[in-house]
Amino acid sequence: SQQGEEDPQALSIQEGENATMNCSYKTSINNLQWYRQNSGRGLVHLILIRSNEREKHSGRLRVTLDTSKKSSSLLITASRAADTASYFCATVGSNDYKLSFGAGTTVTVRA
Amino acid sequence: GAGVSQTPSNKVTEKGKYVELRCDPISGHTALYWYRQSLGQGPEFLIYFQGTGAADDSGLPNDRFFAVRPEGSVSTLKIQRTERGDSAVYLCASSTTTRINEQFFGPGTRLTVL
C-alpha cells in the first residue's frame, strides 16, 4: 500500500518557472525523501529531510516538512528541460528501513 | 565506483513461465532491497536482505515470489508461474547497514508477461 500521496499528479511549466509539488503521508516518520525518475526506470535520490527538520536546501531544490500536518513540499526553482521527470516522495517510519512511496508527480518543463 | 546493476533490463515472458531477475549491489553494501513498480504507481517494497538472510519478506505478494542472496552480494528474485499482473518494473536497491535510509537504486528490470 502507498503511504504517501503527491499532489498534483501532473504539472506542466515553462522553462525558468518554479515547480512545486506536495506530499502527504499517514503515519509517523523517521525521515522523508524525494526521488526523481526518468522514463520509468532508475530512481535518483534528491534529498532527505529528517522528522526534526523543517526545511532543507540542495542546489535548486527546497524541501519543507510539516510533521503536524504530515506533509512535505518540494520546490524546484528556475526549472530546466532536464528537470522533466516523475518525482516521488518516500517515507521511512520510526525504527524502519522500508521506503514507502507515493504515486508521484509527473513534471513536464517546456522549452 | 559502480552503482547497482540489474539484469536483464527487459524481460518478456509468457504467462505460466518462470523468470529470474538479478541484482548486483554496490560493493560493500550489506543491505539489499527489492521493490516493484506498476505502471503509474510508486515503487512498493517486496523484500529486504541483511547479508545472506531475508530480514523482511512481508512485501512479497504470494508464494510464487522468492528471492535469494546466497553469498551476501548478488541477489536473484524468482517468480514462478508468472501472471499478467506480475508485469512491472522490478527495482533493486542497496545500502550500508549503518545508513539504511540512503538506498541506491539500480535501473530496474521491466518484466512483461504476455
Side-chain angles (χ1 to χ4, degrees):
Chain A
S1 62
Q2 310 264 254
Q3 149 84 311
E5 291 184 10
E6 281 96 335
D7 170 58
Q9 287 187 323
L11 183 59
S12 179
I13 55 174
Q14 200 74 31
E15 203 166 27
E17 292 180 340
N18 295 343
T20 301
M21 59 209 86
N22 304 294
C23 167
S24 59
Y25 57 91
K26 297 171 186 156
T27 59
S28 63
I29 61 170
N30 174 283
N31 66 78
L32 185 145
Q33 305 178 36
W34 285 91
Y35 286 82
R36 184 183 72 224
Q37 185 176 46
N38 292 87
S39 305
R41 298 306 290 264
L43 289 154
V44 175
H45 182 265
L46 296 176
I47 198 163
L48 180 154
I49 187 164
R50 302 191 188 284
S51 60
N52 60 354
E53 297 176 310
R54 292 297 166 257
E55 188 170 312
K56 211 161 180 182
H57 297 253
S58 176
R60 293 183 296 112
L61 305 179
R62 173 178 167 252
V63 168
T64 63
L65 178 64
D66 187 335
T67 53
S68 67
K69 294 181 179 177
K70 291 188 169 58
S71 68
S72 173
S73 68
L74 171 67
L75 167 69
I76 306 172
T77 60
S79 63
R80 305 166 182 169
D83 294 329
T84 294
S86 292
Y87 292 82
F88 294 90
C89 70
T91 57
V92 178
S94 303
N95 300 313
D96 204 353
Y97 42 77
K98 299 191 284 286
L99 291 166
S100 295
F101 288 86
T105 294
T106 300
V107 175
T108 303
V109 181
R110 306 185 306 274
Chain B
V4 177
S5 62
Q6 291 186 247
T7 55
S9 56
N10 286 284
K11 175 72 179 177
V12 180
T13 191
E14 292 180 343
K15 181 175 178 294
K17 299 287 189 184
Y18 167 83
V19 296
E20 290 189 352
L21 312 179
R22 177 188 166 110
C23 171
D24 211 325
I26 292 172
S27 177
H29 280 191
T30 54
L32 185 145
Y33 316 78
W34 284 97
Y35 293 83
R36 177 170 75 171
Q37 185 176 20
S38 301
L39 192 64
Q41 298 296 315
E44 291 189 306
F45 170 80
L46 294 177
I47 187 168
Y48 158 57
F49 284 91
Q50 183 57 250
T52 59
D56 182 352
D57 64 358
S58 62
L60 295 178
N62 52 59
D63 62 6
R64 294 187 298 105
F65 288 74
F66 189 71
V68 296
R69 195 185 184 201
E71 296 177 0
S73 178
V74 170
S75 175
T76 305
L77 178 65
K78 309 180 180 196
I79 310 174
Q80 299 177 318
R81 304 183 303 280
T82 51
E83 299 177 356
R84 292 196 179 88
D86 299 335
S87 296
V89 175
Y90 289 81
L91 294 161
C92 176
S94 71
S95 73
T96 63
T97 303
T98 52
R99 304 182 80 161
I100 59 173
N101 289 324
E102 296 183 35
Q103 297 179 24
F104 295 83
F105 281 81
T109 293
R110 184 180 301 280
L111 174 66
T112 303
V113 182
L114 300 176

